[in-house]
Every structure is written in structure tokens, then in C-alpha cells.
Amino acid sequence: MNLAVCFQDQLKVALVDTDLQGSLIQIKEELPDLAVLSNDELQEIKSLDYDLIIVDTPPYLSNKLPELFGLSDFILIPTKAGFFDVMAIRSTIALLKDAQVTKPDIQAGIVINMIKPRSGITKEVSGLLASMETPVLDTMIYDRVSIARSSITAGVLQGSDTKAITEITALAEEIVNRISA
């Protein structure tokens, strides 16, 4: 959601909520300048008239991921800075590699998310991630109350937490730079 809000001033953006919980659909009214589409509209994703379509997937492996990966230009894989979290994304990375066989121009990046301040494990996790043959993004997102609350405040860009704003905009910029490189 925060990435979609970053781009909405420059692009016509849609956010597709494929999570069964439908969390983004439930806050659709809080994001009046953003098209938030439901899982039902997933079949029409190719024909949607938007400059940028961000698909929020479930946090677990879904049978829809291979299809979604095939439609994607960039796949962002978030992970927490924990050993078991890194192990959990291995299957997602395997699906990504499968999709890249048929569509080699798909780009991807891993973003370390919900980092605890002064945590020494982040460097160790970064080392593990580097061995997975998927780029680890330079931008890291810290565990901030403003980010957790962003779903009820229409995104971190509307708030006063300059560190959260900097992190989210840096992530958006890094993704754009990777796509346009």
C-alpha cells in the first residue's frame, strides 16, 4: 500500500488485493486516490488500464503465484531479518526462478522488512540472502509504529515519521532504478 501511495502522484496506480483476508479492500475508502481492486478482478489484470499495478499477495505460498509472476515485471520479496523467515522465502524464490525460465526479463529483489533497531542478526541474514541468487535491495525497512499504523492513516507519506517516509520512498526509488536499468 505504501509503495502504491508513493507512485500515485506520478502514475495511474492500481493496487490488487489477492490476500484472502482482503485487508486492503477493507480500507479502500481510506485511499480515495488509489484504485484498490479485489481478488475477483485478478483475471482481468492484463487488460487493466493503469500505468502501474501492484499486486499484494498472501504471505504464504499460493497457487496463484506462478500466474502472477508470469504477469510481472518486478517481484518484491519481503522478509524479516530472521533465519526461519529466510528459509520461508526459499520456495518463493524457486517459483521466481521457474517464472524467469519462461519470462527471463522478470526482475526481482528481496527487501529486509520489519528490522528491529540495534539487531545484530540483520548482517547475518543479509549474508544468507546474498547466497540465494536474487538481489538483496539496499533499502531496509525498520519496524516502525507509523508503518504498522499506515493502513489507518492512508500511508506513511501522510504522516510525520520522516524515517519511515525516507525508507518507503527509497524503496520505491530503488525499484524504479532496477526496472529502468
Side-chain angles (χ1 to χ4, degrees):
M1 176 197 72
N2 283 304
L3 284 173
V5 171
C6 277
F7 292 113
Q8 74 182 7
D9 289 340
Q10 298 89 24
L11 302 170
K12 186 176 174 188
V13 180
L15 183 57
V16 180
D17 186 2
T18 67
D19 196 343
L20 293 177
Q21 292 175 348
S23 303
L24 294 172
I25 291 295
Q26 292 177 34
I27 64 164
K28 185 177 183 174
E29 287 75 37
E30 307 301 319
L31 305 164
D33 298 326
L34 190 63
V36 181
L37 309 173
S38 71
N39 196 11
D40 301 337
E41 291 144 299
L42 189 57
Q43 298 305 321
E44 295 105 36
I45 203 164
K46 288 182 192 177
S47 62
L48 292 174
D49 185 28
Y50 291 92
D51 302 318
L52 175 66
I53 301 169
I54 297 176
V55 180
D56 180 38
T57 63
Y60 50 84
L61 291 176
S62 159
N63 61 350
K64 293 180 182 172
L65 288 183
E67 177 187 357
L68 289 170
F69 284 7
L71 297 172
S72 299
D73 296 315
F74 189 89
I75 298 166
L76 181 65
I77 304 170
T79 185
K80 294 179 186 175
F83 179 74
F84 291 116
D85 299 299
V86 171
M87 296 302 106
I89 67 167
R90 280 181 154 165
S91 298
T92 304
I93 292 171
L95 289 174
L96 166 65
K97 297 298 179 196
D98 289 345
Q100 287 174 323
V101 168
T102 56
K103 188 178 175 189
D105 58 333
I106 298 173
Q107 295 187 51
I110 299 169
V111 62
I112 303 176
N113 191 23
M114 299 179 74
I115 297 172
K116 304 291 184 204
R118 295 177 294 281
S119 173
I121 195 170
T122 305
K123 277 188 179 176
E124 295 170 30
V125 168
S126 293
L128 282 172
L129 291 170
S131 70
M132 294 192 168
E133 299 177 17
T134 298
V136 179
L137 302 181
D138 295 329
T139 306
M140 295 185 192
I141 308 296
Y142 284 80
D143 190 10
R144 302 188 186 285
V145 172
S146 61
I147 293 175
R149 295 186 75 239
S150 66
S151 60
I152 58 174
T153 61
V156 296
L157 298 182
Q158 309 303 321
S160 60
D161 184 342
T162 56
K163 289 180 181 178
I165 293 168
T166 299
E167 289 168 10
I168 296 297
T169 54
L171 178 60
E173 187 175 314
E174 188 172 1
I175 292 169
V176 167
N177 289 340
R178 287 182 177 270
I179 290 172
S180 51

